[in-house]
């Protein structure tokens, strides 16, 4: 061991005792106090317990609350104050049944799957959007049943039904304010203008938790484009993907529409943002207030057939490619459909093929691709479909 | 005999009128072994440094009744590396490999007592890693904690938190 350290001699207990008395320093008192606090029984004082808890993943902190009453109180206090916790990577909930809204949640911190139940949701094909620990569900039939919930604490709040028309397509997006915990829910509805093949009525419905009410919807008519089911709110702007609906064939069959929702009293209109290349499918996500798009890249001669996956970030209406999925990962999914599931928060993007429970993550910070731990569910029949969504595990927030 | 040593030590300390940086500090472990360290090492240990500061550097022998002669060298080793700016992931991995669970726990308490923030943070992480996937019973044994829940209370709690019990390591694995 360290060479500089040398022991000089043994002193007996009396000496040590005497010495501390002689010095008569404040510290000697402290020493005694500390000595009894951290006795040989090793009873952890609260501050040390909190220190250890702060390095544990969420599920382990929950389990620690079963150790004894004192740990229970400390862990509870701890869990509800996020400033103590290490930043937890976002989780991914994977539906493992095609109809029932049941499934498993993946914690990338511990690389483990948990069997958790989601409140309120009826089937796995409901609309889902998440932001800062809250998840919003909307039914896929009437598109009027909405519920905000925290999937960890299971606290739930049903929202007022949005007014307005029925629709052919709908997209759901939410945005939670980190400080006030207030939220905005946005629904983009899209309905074909009767007896017109190229025109679509678009209506944007906004719900604000402060007013607990839906605002007057914004309506527009799109020519040659229709809305779909993909949208996200990022920095006060609602983005949604629109699809070619006939007429003059544009360069790409997808485009992005941006609508500034932070000043909705101004007559701000929708603005189009072209998409960087021909895609089979586009997924939008808010990564630390940057708009990120994961897209399936189509074959040159057959744009419907997916040949790879790219990730882009939007800077000031210009797309910058972050990365392309290396071929070995793309092949690792087995068969990859032209449409797929992808969502992300902070630095972590999840990508999942509908056809299998394989789940791939990309860390935008360290530029690393990584397979998740294998989901404890296997594909049971050829049409067994898998999907899922990403959410942040947070206890301190409730709708 | 003890008296003699004591007065000797005192006179030695007092003669140190000008606390030069070259004066070594003697750390006395709980089982009375003296470890001589450079003052820069003592600086890493906030508790020791404040002791020295309060006496204007006159006292250079510091009793550490809570720390055994078994643990102190590890603490000193870590502080030395820290001063040299050589706390790397590799060093930490090697360092912790040598330690069994009991030693990690003792060092953790020592780091807390000496107020060495870096070591404390590092060991918190080590302990967290070692218990993250363990059962409640394992954690109780590890920290010597008595379960004060009634069986009903515990059962209720475990039922509520059932999802967090997925895939917990079996208990007989890598205990000391």
């Amino acid at each position: 061991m360290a060479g500089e350290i040398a022991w000089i001699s043994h002193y007996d207990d009396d000496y040590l005792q005497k010495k501390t008395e002689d010095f008569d320093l404040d510290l000697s008192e402290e020493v005694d106090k500390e000595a009894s606090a951290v006795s040989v029984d090793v009873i952890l004082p609260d501050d040390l317990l909190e220190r250890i808890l702060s390095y544990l993943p969420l599920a382990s902190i929950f389990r620690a609350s079963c150790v004894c009453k004192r740990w229970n109180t400390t862990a509870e206090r701890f869990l509800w104050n996020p400033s103590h916790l290490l930043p937890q990577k976002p989780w991914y909930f994977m539906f493992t049944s095609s109809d029932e809204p049941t499934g498993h949640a993946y914690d990338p911190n511990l690389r483990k799957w948990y069997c958790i139940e989601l409140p309120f949701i009826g089937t796995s094909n409901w609309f889902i959007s998440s932001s800062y620990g809250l998840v919003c569900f909307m039914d896929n039939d009437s598109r009027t049943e909405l519920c905000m919930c925290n999937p960890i604490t299971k606290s739930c709040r049903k929202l007022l039904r949005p007014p307005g028309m029925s629709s052919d397509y709908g997209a759901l997006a939410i945005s939670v304010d980190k400080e006030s915990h207030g939220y905005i829910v946005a629904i983009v509805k899209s309905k074909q203008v009767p007896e017109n093949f190229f025109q679509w009525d678009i209506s944007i419905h906004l719900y604000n938790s402060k007013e607990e009410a839906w605002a007057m919807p914004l309506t527009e008519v799109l020519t040659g484009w229709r809305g779909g089911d993909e949208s996200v709110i990022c920095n006060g702007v609602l983005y949604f993907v629109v699809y070619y609906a006939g007429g003059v064939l544009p360069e790409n069959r997808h485009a992005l529409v941006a609508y500034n929702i932070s000043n909705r009293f101004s007559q701000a209109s929708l603005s189009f943002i072209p998409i960087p290349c021909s895609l089979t499918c586009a997924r939008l996500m808010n990564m630390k207030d940057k708009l990120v798009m994961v897209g399936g890249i189509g074959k040159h001669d057959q744009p419907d057939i997916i040949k790879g996956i790219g990730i882009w970030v939007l800077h000031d209406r210009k797309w910058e490619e972050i990365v392309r999925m290396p071929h070995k990962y793309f092949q690792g999914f087995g068969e990859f459909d032209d449409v797929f599931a992808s969502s992300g928060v902070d630095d972590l993007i999840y990508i999942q093929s509908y056809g299998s429970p394989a789940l791939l993550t990309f860390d935008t910070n360290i530029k690393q691709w990584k397979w998740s731990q294998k989901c404890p569910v296997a594909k049971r029949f050829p049409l067994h479909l898998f999907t899922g969504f990403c959410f942040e595990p947070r206890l301190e927030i409730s709708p | 005999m003890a008296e003699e040593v004591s007065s000797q030590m005192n006179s030695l300390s007092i003669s140190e009128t000008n606390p030069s940086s070259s004066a070594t500090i003697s750390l006395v472990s709980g089982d009375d072994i003296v470890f001589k360290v450079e003052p820069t090492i003592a600086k890493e240990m906030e508790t020791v440094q404040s002791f020295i500061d309060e006496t204007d550097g006159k006292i250079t022998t510091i009793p550490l009744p809570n720390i055994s002669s078994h643990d102190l060298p590890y603490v000193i080793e870590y502080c030395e590396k820290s001063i040299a700016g050589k706390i790397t992931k590799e060093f930490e991995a090697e360092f912790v490999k040598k330690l069994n669970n009991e030693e990690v726990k003792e060092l953790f308490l020592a780091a807390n007592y000496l107020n060495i923030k870096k070591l404390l943070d590092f060991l918190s992480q080590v302990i967290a890693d070692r218990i993250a996937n363990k059962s409640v019973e394992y954690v109780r044994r590890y920290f010597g904690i008595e379960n004060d829940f009634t069986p009903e209370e515990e059962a209720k709690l475990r039922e509520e938190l059932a999802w967090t019990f997925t895939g917990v390591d079996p208990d007989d694995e890598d205990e000391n």
Side-chain angles (χ1 to χ4, degrees):
Chain A
M1 240 160 287
E4 294 94 314
I5 304 160
W7 61 272
I8 305 177
S9 101
H10 280 278
Y11 299 113
D12 56 29
D13 284 338
D14 286 349
Y15 161 65
L16 206 74
Q17 204 74 45
K18 187 146 184 30
K19 199 168 52 146
T20 31
E21 275 164 24
D22 283 349
F23 293 160
D24 193 31
L25 293 169
D26 285 345
L27 190 81
S28 59
E29 227 180 270
E30 255 178 60
V31 166
D32 289 346
K33 208 169 70 199
E34 289 273 358
S36 58
V38 291
S39 65
V40 246
D41 299 343
V42 190
I43 294 165
L44 280 186
D46 280 357
D47 60 323
L48 286 191
L49 172 55
E50 287 194 10
R51 228 170 228 286
I52 295 173
L53 292 179
S54 73
Y55 286 93
L56 284 174
L58 209 60
S60 306
I61 303 176
F62 273 115
R63 229 164 39 237
S65 70
C66 301
V67 166
C68 67
K69 285 182 176 161
R70 191 171 67 94
W71 278 46
N72 186 278
T73 320
T74 312
E76 293 251 305
R77 187 174 68 231
F78 199 83
L79 283 165
W80 291 84
N81 187 344
S83 61
H84 295 327
L85 290 169
L86 278 191
Q88 307 269 333
K89 287 185 193 164
W91 290 17
Y92 189 84
F93 187 91
M94 189 187 290
F95 292 104
T96 50
S97 154
S98 301
D99 337 290
E100 293 295 303
T102 53
H104 291 78
Y106 180 63
D107 171 5
N109 304 282
L110 259 190
R111 296 180 58 75
K112 276 172 76 165
W113 289 91
Y114 299 108
C115 194
I116 66 171
E117 273 174 45
L118 298 175
F120 195 80
I121 184 170
T123 61
S124 59
N125 72 350
W126 278 34
F127 293 90
I128 300 164
S129 174
S130 80
S131 168
Y132 202 71
L134 292 184
V135 179
C136 185
F137 301 121
M138 176 171 80
D139 80 295
N140 201 359
D141 299 323
S142 68
R143 297 181 189 141
T144 55
E145 301 279 333
L146 280 107
C147 174
M148 287 290 274
C149 80
N150 179 326
I152 302 287
T153 64
K154 312 271 188 271
S155 66
C156 253
R157 179 194 288 262
K158 218 178 149 199
L159 303 186
L160 277 181
R161 286 162 173 267
M165 61 180 191
S166 66
S167 59
D168 298 321
Y169 294 93
L172 175 72
I174 65 167
S175 170
V176 176
D177 186 278
K178 292 179 170 65
E179 263 85 50
S180 71
H181 292 185
Y183 48 85
I184 291 171
V185 180
I187 306 173
V188 181
K189 290 185 179 181
S190 177
K191 191 177 172 66
Q192 192 162 24
V193 174
E195 292 166 29
N196 183 321
F197 291 112
F198 307 128
Q199 290 198 317
W200 288 73
D201 284 322
I202 298 277
S203 62
I204 298 174
H205 303 253
L206 295 173
Y207 176 92
N208 192 318
S209 67
K210 267 193 224 100
E211 291 140 29
E212 295 191 30
W214 292 92
M216 272 293 287
L218 170 112
T219 53
E220 281 268 358
V221 178
L222 292 185
T223 304
W225 298 92
R226 64 161 177 86
D229 56 7
E230 190 64 26
S231 70
V232 73
I233 297 169
C234 195
N235 261 340
V237 179
L238 170 71
Y239 297 91
F240 56 96
V241 178
V242 290
Y243 304 78
Y244 168 66
V248 184
L249 191 69
E251 191 184 345
N252 295 315
R253 293 173 309 136
H254 297 80
L256 203 62
V257 170
Y259 172 56
N260 190 336
I261 55 172
S262 48
N263 63 0
R264 54 176 214 260
F265 295 109
S266 77
Q267 255 319 34
S269 57
L270 308 180
S271 72
F272 267 74
I273 300 170
I275 265 175
C277 66
S278 173
L279 298 179
T280 64
C281 140
R283 299 290 175 220
L284 305 177
M285 52 210 79
N286 177 345
M287 309 283 285
K288 289 186 171 161
D289 289 334
K290 290 260 178 228
L291 178 77
V292 167
M293 177 174 72
V294 177
I297 301 166
K299 284 189 175 164
H300 192 67
D301 47 343
Q302 295 164 288
D304 288 342
I305 310 285
I306 191 167
K307 66 165 186 190
I309 285 178
I311 302 178
W312 293 266
V313 60
L314 188 69
H315 292 295
D316 207 16
R317 302 176 63 84
K318 286 258 168 353
W319 293 102
E320 181 203 325
E321 185 171 307
I322 304 176
V323 74
R324 290 220 176 179
M325 186 188 289
H327 201 61
K328 63 168 180 174
Y329 290 108
F330 185 69
Q331 282 185 318
F333 283 100
E335 204 175 318
F336 208 104
D337 292 327
D338 53 335
V339 287
F340 54 88
S342 179
S343 51
V345 178
D346 287 342
D347 295 323
L348 201 66
I349 296 175
Y350 287 97
I351 298 172
Q352 183 185 15
S353 150
Y354 290 149
S356 84
L359 183 64
L360 184 65
T361 62
F362 179 70
D363 188 316
T364 56
N365 194 27
I366 55 171
K367 310 270 180 237
Q368 188 187 48
W369 295 94
K370 203 172 188 178
W371 290 105
S372 77
Q373 206 63 24
K374 206 168 173 299
C375 181
V377 169
K379 192 172 168 112
R380 289 194 303 270
F381 47 94
L383 283 178
H384 190 180
L385 295 184
F386 299 88
T387 177
F389 64 93
C390 172
F391 69 97
E392 293 173 70
R394 291 185 180 276
L395 280 100
E396 74 280 9
I397 189 160
S398 54
Chain B
M1 162 72 179
E3 282 288 315
E4 254 177 58
V5 177
S6 165
S7 59
Q8 242 175 39
M9 289 305 292
N10 270 337
S11 62
L12 189 79
S13 308
I14 289 155
S15 71
E16 206 81 58
T17 42
N18 180 19
S20 71
S21 59
S22 62
T24 57
I25 307 290
S26 300
L27 303 176
V28 187
S29 71
D31 47 350
D32 294 341
I33 312 277
V34 175
F35 293 84
K36 288 204 155 196
V37 297
E38 296 299 317
T40 47
I41 303 266
K43 267 212 174 61
E44 291 286 295
M45 310 173 180
E46 265 188 50
T47 307
V48 170
Q49 189 56 37
S50 61
F51 195 105
I52 295 169
D53 290 346
E54 276 179 60
T55 60
D56 294 326
K58 286 183 188 131
I59 289 162
T60 54
T61 301
I62 291 123
L64 302 171
N66 287 336
I67 303 175
S68 75
S69 60
H70 177 79
D71 298 336
L72 199 47
Y74 287 113
V75 176
I76 294 169
E77 184 191 354
Y78 191 90
C79 291
E80 281 170 348
K81 284 278 180 200
S82 172
I83 295 163
K86 286 182 181 156
I87 303 278
T88 57
K89 287 253 173 287
E90 293 72 34
F91 165 73
E92 287 190 331
E94 279 302 308
F95 184 81
V96 76
K97 220 193 260 174
K98 296 183 284 200
L99 305 172
N100 65 29
N101 282 344
E102 205 54 39
E103 288 167 328
V104 168
K105 197 166 64 188
E106 281 173 17
L107 280 182
F108 177 65
L109 296 172
N112 179 51
Y113 171 62
L114 291 171
N115 208 351
I116 310 169
K117 178 129 194 334
K118 266 186 228 159
L119 182 57
L120 195 57
D121 284 344
F122 166 54
L123 292 171
S124 307
Q125 175 80 70
V126 172
I127 292 178
D129 289 347
R130 290 194 182 187
I131 64 170
N133 242 343
K134 300 293 186 194
S135 71
V136 170
E137 292 77 11
Y138 179 95
V139 174
R140 282 181 192 143
R141 273 200 306 281
Y142 185 38
F143 291 105
I145 294 167
E146 199 155 318
N147 175 15
D148 55 0
F149 288 117
T150 64
E152 294 77 24
E153 283 171 334
E154 190 175 350
K156 186 168 170 279
L157 206 52
R158 280 181 186 252
E159 197 192 313
E160 282 169 13
L161 299 173
W163 64 273
T164 70
F165 286 86
T166 328
V168 169
D169 291 348
D171 273 355
D172 45 2
E173 242 177 61
D174 59 53
E175 287 202 50
N176 296 329

